[in-house]
């Protein structure tokens, strides 16, 4: 079967494009950094994925997700394939993981739990309507769009990554 290569940028286009890099997360497959995208004049998250076995599958997945336009799924802006990794520029959700918020605020009012469920289920519904399933849904992959001050009526939008 013939597979068309997804559209993506060359690694040389990374040099000089991003500034103010700061590591904000680390996992088994790579790291996440906050950065400023000098070309688009906005803050982004740079996710570097290393050591994956099926790079074509990864590129195809990112290329599809780049076309998503949903308030409840973190937006992917661009991606670059390097020999040893895949770098993804995506929406910076500065509120951090939902998992961390559960430890910081041990009690969530029902209204917030309802909003979290609505946001997550809306994002999943959007993906499912495009015949995409999220195979790694966990608290660490649900993030807050902005920091939360603990005030119930000021809870941020929840996004799936």
């Amino acid at each position: 079967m013939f597979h068309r290569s997804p559209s993506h940028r060359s690694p040389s286009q990374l040099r000089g494009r991003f500034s103010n890099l700061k590591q904000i997360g680390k996992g088994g497959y790579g790291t996440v950094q906050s950065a400023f995208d000098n070309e688009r004049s906005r803050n982004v998250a740079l996710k570097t994925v290393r050591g994956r076995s099926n790079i074509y599958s990864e590129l195809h997945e990112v290329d599809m997700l780049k076309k998503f336009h949903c308030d409840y799924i973190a937006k992917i802006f661009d991606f670059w394939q390097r020999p040893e990794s895949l770098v993804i520029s995506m929406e910076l959700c500065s509120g951090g993981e939902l998992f961390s918020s559960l430890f910081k605020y041990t009690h969530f009012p029902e209204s917030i739990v309802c909003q979290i469920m609505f946001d997550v289920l809306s994002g999943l519904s959007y993906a499912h309507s495009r015949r995409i399933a999220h195979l790694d849904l966990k608290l660490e992959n649900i993030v807050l769009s902005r920091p939360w001050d603990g005030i119930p009526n000021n809870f941020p939008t929840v996004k799936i990554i």
Side-chain angles (χ1 to χ4, degrees), residues 71-90:
D71 292 338
Y72 309 107
I73 298 174
K75 177 77 178 131
I76 292 179
F77 301 123
D78 244 326
F79 60 100
W80 298 264
Q81 180 182 357
R82 291 176 155 174
E84 73 288 351
S85 64
L86 178 64
V87 179
I88 304 165
S89 169
M90 60 192 305

Side-chain angles (χ1 to χ4, degrees), residues 5-145:
S5 176
S7 59
H8 60 279
R9 296 177 156 215
S10 71
S12 64
Q13 293 173 313
L14 280 168
R15 287 185 206 94
R17 176 161 173 181
F18 300 100
S19 56
N20 301 327
L21 278 76
K22 178 183 170 191
Q23 185 169 314
I24 57 175
K26 186 174 184 173
Y29 283 110
T31 60
V32 179
Q33 298 175 299
S34 64
F36 185 76
D37 184 337
N38 297 311
E39 185 177 294
R40 296 189 178 182
S41 299
R42 67 173 158 213
N43 292 315
V44 298
L46 288 179
K47 183 176 183 177
T48 303
V49 182
R50 300 181 188 280
R52 299 305 287 258
S53 60
N54 189 346
I55 194 68
Y56 176 78
S57 177
E58 296 284 331
L59 288 170
H60 183 68
E61 177 183 337
V62 172
D63 196 42
M64 285 188 323
L65 293 173
K66 188 177 172 185
K67 297 170 186 158
F68 276 23
H69 300 284
C70 177
D71 292 338
Y72 309 107
I73 298 174
K75 177 77 178 131
I76 292 179
F77 301 123
D78 244 326
F79 60 100
W80 298 264
Q81 180 182 357
R82 291 176 155 174
E84 73 288 351
S85 64
L86 178 64
V87 179
I88 304 165
S89 169
M90 60 192 305
E91 177 181 4
L92 177 63
C93 297
S94 58
E97 300 171 354
L98 179 59
F99 185 76
S100 300
S101 293
L102 290 176
F103 284 104
K104 186 174 181 181
Y105 304 100
T106 56
H107 176 73
F108 283 77
E110 183 179 350
S111 61
I112 290 179
V113 174
C114 288
Q115 180 185 338
I116 291 169
M117 293 306 298
F118 177 85
D119 292 356
V120 169
L121 293 173
S122 294
L124 288 175
S125 177
Y126 180 89
H128 291 174
S129 72
R130 281 144 185 83
R131 303 181 59 82
I132 302 293
H134 195 301
L135 301 177
D136 194 25
L137 191 61
K138 56 188 175 186
L139 291 174
E140 293 89 339
N141 289 338
I142 300 171
V143 293
L144 306 181
S145 60

